[in-house]
């Protein structure tokens, strides 16, 4: 009798597990800035900045000449830092009104549709370049299968998007590919709508995907939007990046060696503090001669020695900042709180080539709280828009993908979406 009861229990558990797995809504992971591998190939038009940067470096590449551009550990060594920066640099053509790679540099994003390039930025250095691996593993533990119910949407994160009346070849192609992936994921899973899970900059791309498609498309193909550490209103940290360069915590790198490359990034310009969320009277950068807020960034760009950034900022970025419409689907934002985050930058008479004195405020260590909570201030009164915020104290911008408690919150939320649990507006994790 006990044996029969045990067999019945085992069969019941198997049926429950199979049903739970089959009931999973397909899920698409959209990484943040620098959150996936990027490959490059050099052509005969490539002009190296030094002998070290010749066309044959690095030696390790595949038969077609492709090699990993991001992340490359040789960026830690000064001569190769310059080489890396040259190959990563974008160029804005005012006549064409669009961005492009450096001459002679071709780039591609590997493994679109799969999570492979999101797990580790360098699979040979897993311990120090872990990105989404802990989150992906936790999703696999509740039944998700890469390429079947879980999909990755890596992209060339240097590029951004532009308003509809401006060309944006690379960014627009990514949105087109992402839309196709959403439809494919849904169709291959019995027509179930998709859960979008983004990190950081990926949230802005996901929002644009939703804003640029009709409500009928969103209703058919999107179940829920889960945004982790989304910088809805940009960051003060980005002004530090443009003024003085930013090593992003990578040791031994001189920030001035990567400053020009970081300034050239279209997505970095998109992440400047948004005047819709950062108050005009709130000073962000203070120097002996001037004070800058989110409302006079063109003047800031000119004064730091980057006047070429003014035109694309005024004609492309400002319009994108203004286009922060409600997503039109249920959204859950998971954010870190209580982490010291740059709020005001003080420069002395030595100028922008030196790192500033920093006054810190609340945020996740990268994104300011006013930006992380932008969804509440922008969309709380939007018609038919449900919002939920999960706050995880002490978790940083990238730890939200690795910290056990934070990942647990994300997975619980996704499990709840799959189980149709009641939507709770706000959660504070203790």
């Amino acid at each position: 009798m006990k044996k029969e009861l045990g067999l019945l229990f085992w069969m019941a558990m198997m049926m429950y597990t199979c049903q739970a797995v089959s009931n999973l809504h397909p899920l698409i992971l959209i990484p943040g800035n620098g959150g996936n591998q990027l490959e490059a190939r050099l052509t005969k038009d490539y002009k190296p900045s030094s002998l070290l940067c010749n066309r044959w470096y690095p030696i390790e590449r595949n038969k077609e000449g492709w090699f990993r551009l991001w992340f490359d550990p040789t960026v830690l060594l000064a001569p190769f830092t310059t080489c890396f920066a040259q190959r990563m640099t974008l160029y804005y053509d005012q006549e064409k009104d669009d961005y492009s790679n450096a001459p002679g540099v071709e780039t591609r994003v590997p493994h679109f549709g799969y999570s492979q390039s999101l797990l580790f930025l360098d699979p040979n250095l897993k311990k120090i370049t872990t990105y989404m691996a802990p989150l992906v593993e936790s999703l696999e533990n509740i039944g998700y299968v890469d390429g079947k119910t879980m999909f990755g949407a890596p992209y060339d994160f240097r590029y951004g998007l532009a308003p509809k009346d401006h060309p944006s070849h690379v960014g627009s192609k990514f949105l087109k590919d992402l839309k196709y992936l959403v439809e494919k994921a849904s169709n291959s899973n019995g027509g179930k709508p998709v859960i979008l899970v983004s990190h950081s900059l990926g949230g802005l791309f996901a929002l644009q995907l939703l804003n640029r498609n009709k409500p009928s498309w969103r209703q058919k193909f999107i179940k829920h939007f889960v945004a982790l550490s989304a910088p809805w209103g940009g960051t003060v940290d980005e002004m530090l990046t443009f003024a003085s360069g930013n090593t992003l915590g990578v040791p031994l790198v001189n920030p001035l060696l990567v400053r020009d490359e970081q300034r050239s990034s279209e997505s970095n310009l998109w992440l400047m503090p948004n005047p819709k969320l950062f108050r005009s009277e709130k000073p962000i950068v203070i120097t002996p001669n001037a004070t800058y807020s989110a409302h006079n960034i063109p003047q800031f760009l000119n004064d730091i020695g980057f006047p070429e950034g003014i035109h694309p900022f005024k004609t492309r970025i400002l319009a994108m900042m203004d286009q922060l419409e409600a997503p039109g689907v249920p959204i859950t934002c998971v954010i870190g709180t209580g982490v010291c985050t740059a709020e005001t930058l003080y420069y002395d008479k030595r100028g922008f080539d030196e790192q500033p004195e920093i006054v810190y405020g609340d945020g996740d260590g990268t994104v300011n709280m006013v930006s992380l909570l932008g969804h509440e201030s922008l969309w709380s009164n939007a018609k038919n828009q449900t919002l939920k915020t999960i706050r995880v104290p002490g978790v940083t911008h990238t730890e939200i993908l690795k910290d056990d408690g934070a990942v647990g919150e994300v997975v619980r939320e996704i499990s709840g979406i799959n189980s149709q649990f009641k939507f709770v507006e706000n959660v504070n994790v203790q």
Side-chain angles (χ1 to χ4, degrees), residues 32-36 38 70 88 155-159 201 265 267:
N33 197 349
N36 58 257
L38 192 63
W70 178 260
M88 285 283 285
Y155 57 99
D156 192 332
F157 45 81
R158 301 171 301 160
Y159 290 87
L201 175 66
S265 168
S267 60

Side-chain angles (χ1 to χ4, degrees), residues 76 82 152 305:
L76 302 175
T82 303

Side-chain angles (χ1 to χ4, degrees), residues 368-385:
N368 309 88
M369 191 55 62
V370 68
S371 181
L372 290 168
L373 294 176
H375 60 290
E376 293 184 356
S377 55
L378 291 167
W379 307 324
S380 58
N381 296 319
K383 188 178 179 181
N384 300 322
Q385 178 63 61

